[in-house]
Amino acid sequence: MPMIAAPRNVTVSGDAPFLLRDIENGGGVAADEEEDSPSAKKPKSEKFPFNTWEFAIAIGFFFVFSIGLFCIYLTMPPAEKGHIKLPRTLSDLRLLKGHLSTYAKNHPAQFILGYCSTYIFMQTFMIPGTIFMSLLAGALFGVVRGIMLVVFNATAGASSCFFLSKLIGRPLVSWLWPEKLRFFQAEIAKRRDKLFNYMLFLRVTPTLPNLFINLASPIVDVPFHTFFLGTLVGLIPAAYITVRAGLALGDLKSVRDLYDIKTLSVLFFIGFVAILPTLLKRKRVYE
């Protein structure tokens, strides 16, 4: 049931590219370490990051997910099938919400299954547009149930992406973001003893793209339980902002309106509180 698409991917999962800024090269990695690091640059002659088996695995996963979505789509009433499309604008989302309101009310289990499957599919395979999933959840289910749906799906999709990257993602991430990966690897190494706080900071704030965090975390040896808990808790503030905005979907003029200066300031304040124990410990070490 290819419906629509979050975390914050407000993906911000998730998801709102205007929030994501690139991090300059942090350095701090010795030359001899770089040669063995997962982010070591590949020769310019290497134009495709996957070998044959890795590419086959990625395609296989994609088709398995796609077949599952298609089977869910087939269970929908014929009258609803013609209205299902991935929204790319708020106008598309408003139309989709109007078409799905009755279906969601009359067939809640089927709708939630399709919603969750679509969200996780998009998050796993890095398909843009998941911010619309959060807005739709707010519009159809309200704040409390909407947040529960968004956080669950964003965490499940990020976890699925984590394991897929652990299996075949190293060459892709090293190929796309070698400098950013080196920076991330150095930051993780410095904060190994307070890694949960750092993951919270990254999830709450738009410091690094969620897509990059999902793909790079297994490569730099972030433990899955730390990744999972940091994602589960850290996505709640952004999910609340987007789901709440979905309640007034008709008044929303642009996705950019979700994150004004005031909202960003609140997110960074929460992120600062999350990472404060790490900063205090480093200060005591240097004293």
Side-chain angles (χ1 to χ4, degrees), residues 19-257:
L19 283 176
L20 308 179
R21 60 181 180 84
D22 288 337
I23 302 298
E24 296 296 328
N25 179 17
V29 181
D32 56 339
E33 293 176 338
E34 289 185 3
E35 293 180 0
D36 297 326
S37 73
S39 56
K41 288 186 177 181
K42 306 298 179 183
K44 292 183 179 179
S45 59
E46 185 179 348
K47 295 183 178 181
F48 191 70
F50 291 141
N51 60 37
T52 303
W53 285 109
E54 290 169 337
F55 183 72
I57 290 172
I59 294 297
F61 271 96
F62 184 85
F63 274 107
V64 168
F65 271 83
S66 299
I67 291 171
L69 281 175
F70 182 70
C71 290
I72 295 172
Y73 173 76
L74 292 178
T75 66
M76 294 186 66
E80 303 294 340
K81 290 180 181 178
H83 303 301
I84 300 301
K85 60 173 289 189
L86 291 176
R88 295 305 178 192
T89 66
L90 289 175
S91 298
D92 291 343
L93 184 60
R94 293 186 189 102
L95 289 174
L96 187 63
K97 184 250 181 181
H99 292 311
L100 291 178
S101 294
T102 303
Y103 176 70
K105 187 178 298 184
N106 296 335
H107 305 85
Q110 286 178 284
F111 176 80
I112 290 176
L113 178 61
Y115 176 93
C116 294
S117 301
T118 303
Y119 190 104
I120 295 172
F121 176 81
M122 299 185 74
Q123 190 88 338
T124 300
F125 295 103
M126 302 156 280
I127 299 174
T130 51
I131 189 172
F132 293 113
M133 292 292 279
S134 295
L135 292 169
L136 185 67
L140 294 178
F141 295 105
V143 174
V144 177
R145 288 193 297 168
I147 290 176
M148 292 174 62
L149 270 176
V150 169
V151 172
F152 168 78
N153 285 294
T155 304
S159 299
S160 181
C161 188
F162 178 97
F163 285 115
L164 186 62
S165 180
K166 190 178 184 68
L167 184 64
I168 62 171
R170 182 182 298 268
L172 178 65
V173 178
S174 300
W175 184 57
L176 291 175
W177 304 291
E179 301 298 330
K180 189 177 293 186
L181 183 58
R182 266 191 285 275
F183 169 83
F184 189 48
Q185 186 179 33
E187 292 298 306
I188 292 296
K190 288 189 295 184
R191 296 173 170 84
R192 185 66 64 177
D193 55 341
K194 292 286 185 180
L195 202 50
F196 174 71
N197 299 86
Y198 184 55
M199 291 302 298
L200 270 182
F201 172 80
L202 292 179
R203 288 304 195 184
V204 171
T205 66
T207 305
L208 282 173
N210 277 323
L211 169 61
F212 174 80
I213 297 171
N214 295 343
L215 291 172
S217 291
I219 297 172
V220 298
D221 296 323
V222 174
F224 176 69
H225 70 276
T226 303
F227 174 88
F228 178 85
L229 290 175
T231 301
L232 182 67
V233 178
L235 291 181
I236 293 176
Y240 171 77
I241 292 169
T242 317
V243 168
R244 186 180 174 87
L247 295 174
L249 189 59
D251 298 328
L252 191 63
K253 296 180 180 179
S254 170
V255 175
R256 296 176 183 268
D257 296 338

